[in-house]
Amino acid sequence: MSTEGKVYLYPIWLRIWHAINALGILVLIYTGLNMQFARPDFELLRFDLAVTLHNFAGVIVSINYLIFFIGNLVTSNKKYYRIKPKGLRKRLLKQLRFYTYGMFKNEEVPYPISEKRKFNPVQKYTYVAVMYLMVPIIIVTGIALLFPELIIEEVYNMSGIFLTAILHAIVGFIISIFLIIHLYFATIGKKPVSNFVSIITGWH
Ligand code: HEM
């Protein structure tokens, strides 16, 4: 759908998923950091409150993920996530060159947004990796930590719970880094706020 240079890129189900996800993940990062760096003499948030909030937000984000997963299975949004290995390296390097050099020299965007191509290559493969690898890993390890009786007791003489917790924290860290980069890249639009308006209204 398009009118006068505007393209409708973010259908309502995607915007609802994204809003709940963004809010939920912010709560998870804040409460997660509180739990990770809890000290008896200093706490931003009471430890038991951080745990309760973290569990609650984790369940919401996990259920909400189904909206993204099923939506991307049954609607045309799936076409933006299709992996095309041919020429991938070249496309990624071209976009990275733009981000690190071309952008500051006012060069033309190498992959302009259209109804056919919602994401540039870097965006696309970052989203694929986060949404189909990182988020599923953090959901599965999160569920396992919520029901530790499900976890294998020992792996190579190490506690299964410990290994699951380490993996959960590492992926949480990666998603936090993704979020910082995601927010920065989202400001690279026609105007710094353009992309934020798009994810709220649906129109680019
Ligand atoms: C405060 C938090 C967040 C803000 C303000 C934000 C902002 C945005 C904006 C402006 C867009 C549209 C432009 C673009 O594609 O870059 C977008 C899309 C997207 N965001 Fe975020 N985001 C946030 C959190 C997250 C988180 C935590 C995730 C995943 C873990 C995420 C995943 C995505 C994905 C996958 C898309 C593309 C959806 C699609 O069109 O299919 N975002 N976000």
Side-chain angles (χ1 to χ4, degrees):
M1 191 169 23
S2 68
T3 55
E4 290 168 33
K6 278 185 165 185
V7 222
Y8 188 65
L9 289 182
Y10 308 99
I12 184 72
W13 64 266
L14 189 65
R15 284 180 277 147
I16 293 173
W17 159 75
H18 187 269
I20 298 174
N21 186 62
L23 216 74
I25 291 209
L26 286 176
V27 172
L28 286 168
I29 292 174
Y30 181 65
T31 51
L33 286 173
N34 263 284
M35 284 148 60
Q36 178 87 6
F37 299 107
R39 283 198 327 225
D41 55 331
F42 175 78
E43 52 186 9
L44 285 174
L45 195 65
R46 240 180 43 222
F47 189 81
D48 60 329
L49 187 62
V51 174
T52 308
L53 272 174
H54 196 82
N55 290 346
F56 180 73
V59 170
I60 299 287
V61 166
S62 305
I63 295 171
N64 190 47
Y65 179 73
L66 292 175
I67 300 184
F68 176 85
F69 190 81
I70 297 170
N72 257 9
L73 216 56
V74 300
T75 74
S76 63
N77 202 57
K78 62 172 163 280
K79 66 173 182 272
Y80 303 116
Y81 290 79
R82 219 161 269 149
I83 295 176
K84 292 176 190 144
K86 200 165 165 244
L88 175 59
R89 213 176 85 95
K90 214 172 130 196
R91 273 177 281 138
L92 287 176
L93 287 177
K94 197 168 169 183
Q95 181 62 36
L96 283 174
R97 186 197 164 279
F98 175 76
Y99 276 147
T100 52
Y101 179 81
M103 187 169 96
F104 304 104
K105 297 274 174 194
N106 279 333
E107 284 181 11
E108 291 269 308
V109 181
Y111 298 97
I113 293 179
S114 65
E115 198 157 3
K116 254 181 107 180
R117 184 179 47 226
K118 174 156 63 166
F119 308 133
N120 69 52
V122 170
Q123 244 180 332
K124 172 172 165 174
Y125 290 97
T126 311
Y127 289 162
V128 169
V130 168
M131 294 314 302
Y132 289 103
L133 189 65
M134 296 303 157
V135 172
I137 293 180
I138 210 146
I139 291 177
V140 170
T141 51
I143 294 172
L145 291 168
L146 209 51
F147 303 101
E149 61 278 11
L150 295 175
I151 300 175
I152 303 169
E153 244 168 69
E154 263 191 21
V155 185
Y156 296 123
N157 267 342
M158 275 189 279
S159 145
I161 294 185
F162 174 72
L163 289 175
T164 311
I166 292 279
L167 182 59
H168 191 75
I170 290 174
V171 176
F173 181 73
I174 294 173
I175 293 177
S176 308
I177 299 292
F178 156 78
L179 181 57
I180 295 169
I181 299 171
H182 180 52
L183 292 178
Y184 168 63
F185 279 169
T187 63
I188 307 170
K190 206 168 170 202
K191 285 191 217 146
V193 292
S194 303
N195 287 325
F196 297 99
V197 174
S198 301
I199 197 74
I200 294 168
T201 62
W203 290 90
H204 177 86

